[in-house]
Amino acid sequence: MWKSVLKISSNGNEVIAQLPSQYDQGLALEASLLNNMLGELNAQHFFLDESAVAQFIKCAASAKGEAFSGITIAQIKDASAEVILTEQDMIASIKVTGAYGGNPLQPNDIIKSLTESRVVKGLNKKALKKVLLLSRQLKAGESYTQPVAIGKRPKEGKDAQFIPLVADPKKRVLKPQATGDGDKVDMRDLGAIVTVGENEQVMKRIPAIKGENGFTVTGAIIPPKAVKDNPLKPGAGTKFSADNPNTLLSTMSGMPVIKSSGVEIDEALCLSKVDISTGHIKFKGSVVISGNIEPNMEVTATGTITVGGFVESAILKSKGDIIVSKGIIGHNVDDGEPKSCLIESGGDVVANYAQFANISSQGDIHFTVHSLNNDIVCGGDLLVTGAGKKQGILSGGEAIVGGKVVCNQLGVEGDTATYIKAFAQFQNYQDGLEQLQLRYTELQESKMKAIRREIELKKVPKSARTEEQNKELEALNSSNTEALDELNVEKERLELELFAKLELNTVESLVQTHTRVTVAFDEEKVTTKNTHGPASFSFNKHIIHFAPKLKEEDLAV
């Protein structure tokens, strides 16, 4: 049946299906027999348009006019190239489809496809030649996708770096010195106390290195991230070097205080010890004591207090850091009596260990060996971590911590109770959110009052309104919700910040958690009744989640 209705076009490029004019009745055709007839016409490699075939069969069955006019159902097609952009225009690929009896791709065909897709950068000549070759080798209708152009990612720059050229007194305390005998570490030898003399190099700056632009295959520029090229900042007791403006020199002798982009030198009072022979010390600047501070002595300073030995039953008050190379030692006292050793710092407190002391810090507190039966208040983090698993013990006493708590051993075997109130800043965030909500409610009420007044005024006909009423209405119309929007943004920002703080500010023991450890967040608290391995305590604004790290110890608190 197909033989009577198929013919090759005059140019030999198409197969046309057409009913002869003598057919006045419908003709039933089967699509499955069409391929055999195309082979007889030497058109088996033509592109077969299946939708056109279905249309002709339908029209032929009902003897419609379209079937007598003729429908092209197959034709010769040249190889084709389709450009595909992926990876946010960073990769351009060409999908080449083999010819249906037609010609392979020509260079101009590829250039036209790339131009239409605006691919102008990162082209690979070898890949383009491969596309031309493939168009000759692929079977009719067979396709292959070849990447032909790749964009360039931006080369990121580097922020300015600030490198201290003197040791940090706080870090010195945390690093016992190695001896020459087999590189053994002497826990009692913490090195010399850090001071600087006049005209010493204290910090250098490595300027920022700008990044390089990248590009997409369409030529769009991808700029690198902006670098921070912060300047070197001379502080008290430092100046720029005359030879190198990226180097700071000390202008006086004293104690270096390392900042993020500079160094300050505190005028330092250097003493070998503090006892009855020196009397109490009160100094505007830093105090450096190479030896011990004896019982019942007081040291007050506006800078950093650095002690090379022990502090025993003494009072230390500083607006800066307090650094004790060895230990802070108080003595057990009766309930209700103040502890015999008092440490108050406006910065950080760093020591090898502390016991039976009252310690407060606006910054962080870090002990390497242990914290035993201390009453601690710190605005930052409390870290009790040492080099070995047996060090870093936080047990007994009470700690109120603004941030997180990390220790190796939490609590102690026996009946000694340990109390920790973590993330004490939580209430500040809650108060802040409540204040924002109150302000939001007040503004909403004010806005609704204005809307009600506006409705009342609009009920008055324009011709009957007074000049005062028109001015009032104009003022009401000009009112907006900017203040409400700003409050919403601030509230969302504070909520996100609180969420991030809750994720970060946890209580974590890295080695072991003992019994009778009470951990509190806000008004919630839990107390351990069993011994566990490493564990963490976290808070989600409602409940405290206790998570032992070892599965076999996943027991009830």
Side-chain angles (χ1 to χ4, degrees), residues 22-221:
Q22 65 266 29
Y23 279 91
D24 55 358
Q25 302 248 337
L27 182 65
L29 298 169
E30 294 184 26
S32 60
L33 302 176
L34 178 59
N35 287 332
N36 293 333
M37 188 58 204
L38 289 176
E40 292 183 18
L41 295 174
N42 292 322
Q44 65 270 23
H45 296 304
F46 284 26
F47 170 72
L48 183 63
D49 188 341
E50 293 181 358
S51 63
V53 172
Q55 182 185 359
F56 179 76
I57 291 175
K58 183 178 180 181
C59 292
S62 56
K64 287 187 176 180
E66 289 179 70
F68 292 98
S69 299
I71 296 174
T72 299
I73 63 169
Q75 58 185 318
I76 287 176
K77 269 191 174 185
D78 295 337
S80 63
E82 177 190 359
V83 176
I84 301 171
L85 298 178
T86 56
E87 300 290 333
Q88 297 179 327
D89 293 351
M90 291 300 292
I91 297 177
S93 302
I94 290 181
K95 181 181 180 182
V96 56
T97 302
Y100 291 88
N103 298 317
L105 289 174
Q106 301 300 315
N108 286 340
D109 298 329
I110 295 177
I111 292 172
K112 181 181 178 183
S113 298
L114 292 171
T115 302
E116 289 175 350
S117 299
R118 297 178 297 170
V119 176
V120 294
K121 299 278 283 185
L123 290 166
N124 186 308
K125 292 182 179 179
K126 289 184 179 180
L128 293 174
K129 289 180 180 178
K130 184 178 179 180
V131 170
L132 289 173
L133 181 62
L134 285 168
S135 71
R136 292 179 171 85
Q137 297 176 341
L138 292 173
K139 297 178 181 178
E142 186 180 3
S143 63
Y144 184 86
T145 302
Q146 172 65 44
V148 296
I150 299 177
K152 179 182 176 183
R153 297 288 180 187
K155 182 180 179 181
E156 300 298 343
K158 291 184 178 180
D159 295 339
Q161 299 178 61
F162 300 90
I163 302 174
L165 302 177
V166 292
D168 188 335
K170 287 189 287 188
K171 293 181 180 178
R172 166 194 169 275
V173 174
L174 304 178
K175 290 185 178 180
Q177 303 297 300
T179 66
D181 184 14
D183 290 331
K184 291 183 179 179
V185 174
D186 186 350
M187 297 302 296
R188 296 168 295 180
D189 181 8
L190 301 172
I193 289 178
V194 179
T195 58
V196 298
E198 187 177 350
N199 213 37
E200 288 187 24
Q201 292 185 354
V202 293
M203 179 173 277
K204 70 176 181 180
R205 171 183 177 269
I206 300 176
I209 300 174
K210 291 184 178 180
E212 298 177 3
N213 287 337
F215 54 80
T216 67
V217 294
T218 60
I221 298 298

